[in-house]
Structures are given as C-alpha cells and as structure tokens.
Amino acid sequence: VKQEGRCGLRFYEASMNASLQLRLQLEQELAGAIERGELILHYQPLVNGITGEVETFEALIRWQHPSRGMIPPSDFIPLAEGTGLIDGIGRWVVEQACRDAAAWEQPWRVSLNVSPSQFRRSDLTGIIANGLRVNALNPERIVVEVTEGVLIEDTAKAVMTLNRLRDLGVRIALDDFGTGYSSLSYLQLFRFDKIKIDKSFIRKLGQNEDALTLTRAIVNLGHNLGLHVTAEGVETQTQLDMLQTLGCDQIQGFLVARPAPMGAFTELNRARVSA
Ligand code: C2E
Ligand code: CA
Ligand code: CA
Ligand code: CA
C-alpha cells in the first residue's frame, strides 16, 4: 500500500472500510436476531388529553445486542428496509404486539409502526388478520401508524391496502404529520382516523410563537376533518398546558412516560412501587 500523508487518502479509505464492514456485520447479525430472541418491544403510553388516562401503548422496537448493547430502531430499521429483513421483523412486531396486547390487564389499544417498504412489500392485512385471530383480539384495539412515505409511490395500491386494513376494523394513524412534503394532500387521498403531530412542532411550543400557531392550525384542521389528534414528544408542563388549551385529544412524550418494557406499567408493578 502506498504511503500517504497525515490526513491522506489511506486514512479516509480505512474509515470507509470500517463503517462498511460494520454495516455488513450488523446486517449479518440482524438476520439472526429474531431467532436468538434479541428483538424486544418497548411500549410508550398515549394518554387522554383531558383525563390523563392511558388509552394506547405504542410499540417501539429495540435490538438487545449481546455485545453492542441496546440498539435503537434508527440504527437498524433503515438497514432492515434496505435488505428485505424488514419483512420478517415487521411480521415479528405484529405477532409479538398482538400476543402482548391480548395478555394486558386492560383493553388498551396497541399502536404499531409500519415503514413504507414494509407496507409495500408484505401482506400486512393478512399478517394483522392472523395476529387478531390467533390471539382472539378485537380489531379495534389495533392502530397502524404509517407515514406519508407509504403513499408516495404507487398511491392507488397504497390506498387499496389502507382500505383493506380499515375493512379489518383496525384504526389508521398518519404519523410524523407536518414534516413531509405534502401531508395536506394525503389527507385527501385517505380518511385517516388520527394524525400524530410531529415532535419537531411540539419541541418548539412555549419557545416560539409560530410553533403555537402551527400546532393550533393542525389541531383545528384535524378536528374539522373529524380526526383525532395526538401530540408526540411532549416533554414539559408548558407544552402540555398549551396542548390542553388547544384541545389536543391525546398526549405522548417523556413528560408522561419514556418507552419501557411493558412490565414497567402494570398494576402489579405500580402496587410494588407504592408499597
Ligand atoms: P416514531 O414512530 O415517530 O416514534 C416516536 C419516537 O420518539 C420514538 O423513538 C420515541 O422513543 C421518541 N419519543 C417519545 N417521546 C419523546 C419525547 O418526549 N421526546 C423525544 N425527544 N423523543 C420522544 P424510537 O423508539 O427511537 O423510534 C424511532 C423511530 O423508529 C420511530 O419513530 C419509528 O419511525 C421507528 N420504529 C420504532 N419501532 C418500529 C417498528 O416496530 N417498526 C418500524 N417499521 N419502525 C419502528
Ligand atoms: Ca410512531
Ligand atoms: Ca412520530
Ligand atoms: Ca418518526
């Protein structure tokens, strides 16, 4: 190998190789992660905007890696989407979440994230129908969260899939609302049950007058269309106060609870903590 300068090409290549190598290795490890039981679901409560009562738990996947520790979805879902591993992972999420929800002490809803490639590639309706049947779960207890990305390509087919899901009796939420390029036009293509205001708006509530104006507009828009509105990423009491004043239906965020294994939220656990 040719000798290079202090910050020369060789160093650059070496770091490129290292990150490519890490990617390939992660990919290989991810392929066996389900069988090894390394994928887990954490849950985060969504509470009623007025009463504060828990209505729904959103399932958020994590990879409990034996040597690398807890890997967040942002570090492996894109990888899974690029390699097709998302099909198996997505199926596992649905099956696990349905099993979990069927065992809960109260009939809370369970909200599932579905990424665009998963939505396009897999038989989501069939997988969810199966999860409902196997666990004797009421379809009304399932919420499917999609982003506008599912509607960008092959819109007609995507709308058909959403309608088939709707026919199953599950609810459909438009996630990350307001961040995309054409959230508004997508509201015309399909009648969602709910929109989730992206946390980038909520973060600026209380700091920025425009954020309040935008959030108010989104809440009113949703309500005028007959949709439920959830705010995600609520971290402060000020944000909560403002959202309650705006009449936001549902609140999710670290202020209420961080995502955690379901055991952190059970009756038994609460009893233990307060005992
Ligand atoms: P998302 O669906 O928008 O989920 C909300 C993210 O915000 C979660 O990050 C959650 O932990 C985080 N969060 C909740 N409350 C707060 C808060 O008050 N402040 C802040 N700063 N963050 C908050 P997480 O768990 O890392 O998930 C990231 C993304 O990964 C999700 O974004 C979703 O797009 C994707 N994802 C998670 N689970 C799954 C899954 O099972 N399947 C698929 N396809 N994607 C998933
Ligand atoms: Ca979500
Ligand atoms: Ca979101
Ligand atoms: Ca997101």
Side-chain angles (χ1 to χ4, degrees):
V1 182
K2 218 170 66 181
Q3 193 63 38
E4 297 287 349
R6 260 186 307 150
C7 38
L9 188 64
R10 206 167 63 157
F11 177 73
Y12 180 67
E13 273 180 351
S15 69
M16 281 284 285
N17 283 337
S19 79
L20 181 66
Q21 228 162 27
L22 174 65
R23 228 184 63 106
L24 289 173
Q25 198 181 342
L26 271 185
E27 207 173 290
Q28 226 165 39
E29 291 167 355
L30 185 57
I34 296 181
E35 289 93 272
R36 290 192 301 271
E38 292 169 5
L39 296 184
I40 56 164
L41 292 180
H42 278 188
Y43 288 96
Q44 188 181 31
L46 283 66
V47 302
N48 186 288
I50 297 164
T51 65
E53 248 181 304
V54 176
E55 298 178 330
T56 305
F57 282 97
E58 179 174 358
L60 295 159
I61 197 170
R62 274 98 182 86
W63 181 6
Q64 220 161 19
H65 193 283
S67 59
R68 297 179 211 278
M70 190 82 88
I71 305 181
S74 54
D75 286 358
F76 70 91
I77 290 293
L79 194 70
E81 286 219 301
T83 54
L85 289 171
I86 192 68
D87 295 359
I89 293 174
R91 178 186 292 268
W92 176 83
V93 169
V94 172
E95 289 170 354
Q96 187 62 45
C98 286
R99 257 198 308 278
D100 287 350
W104 289 345
E105 67 205 31
Q106 285 188 51
W108 295 300
R109 294 203 166 99
V110 62
S111 210
L112 307 172
N113 291 284
V114 176
S115 55
S117 76
Q118 178 190 353
F119 184 87
R120 278 191 287 271
R121 291 164 52 106
S122 67
D123 171 26
L124 192 60
T125 316
I127 292 168
I128 292 180
N130 197 56
L132 291 170
R133 188 178 46 76
V134 168
N135 297 286
L137 206 58
N138 183 337
E140 285 191 1
R141 291 189 51 201
I142 305 255
V143 183
V144 175
E145 297 191 8
V146 299
T147 55
E148 66 171 46
V150 307
L151 286 157
I152 284 172
E153 261 177 56
D154 208 343
T155 305
K157 184 165 170 241
V159 170
M160 230 169 63
T161 305
L162 289 172
N163 276 317
R164 284 174 56 218
L165 282 171
R166 164 70 51 71
D167 290 343
L168 266 188
V170 307
R171 276 149 217 256
I172 299 159
L174 185 56
D175 202 357
D176 299 349
F177 186 81
T179 55
Y181 292 105
S182 35
S183 299
L184 286 182
S185 69
Y186 290 131
L187 290 181
Q188 245 182 351
L189 291 172
F190 183 75
R191 178 53 67 105
F192 292 92
D193 297 286
K194 157 162 125 171
I195 53 181
K196 295 187 78 173
I197 309 175
D198 192 70
K199 52 182 176 295
S200 58
F201 294 96
I202 309 304
R203 193 186 311 126
K204 297 185 195 120
L205 270 185
Q207 300 170 9
N208 175 329
E209 193 65 32
D210 291 347
L212 177 61
T213 305
L214 284 166
T215 305
R216 180 190 293 117
I218 297 175
V219 172
N220 291 339
L221 170 75
H223 285 167
N224 289 335
L225 290 170
L227 314 179
H228 278 91
V229 181
T230 300
E232 67 170 23
V234 181
E235 293 186 358
T236 69
Q237 185 64 43
T238 311
Q239 292 163 350
L240 177 62
D241 292 343
M242 288 180 157
L243 288 161
Q244 284 182 320
T245 306
L246 297 181
C248 190
D249 303 290
Q250 216 175 32
I251 303 292
Q252 175 179 19
F254 295 169
L255 181 68
V256 178
R258 288 181 178 260
M262 195 59 193
F265 305 108
T266 60
E267 213 58 77
L268 185 66
N269 196 282
R270 276 198 293 273
R272 272 202 199 119
V273 167
S274 60

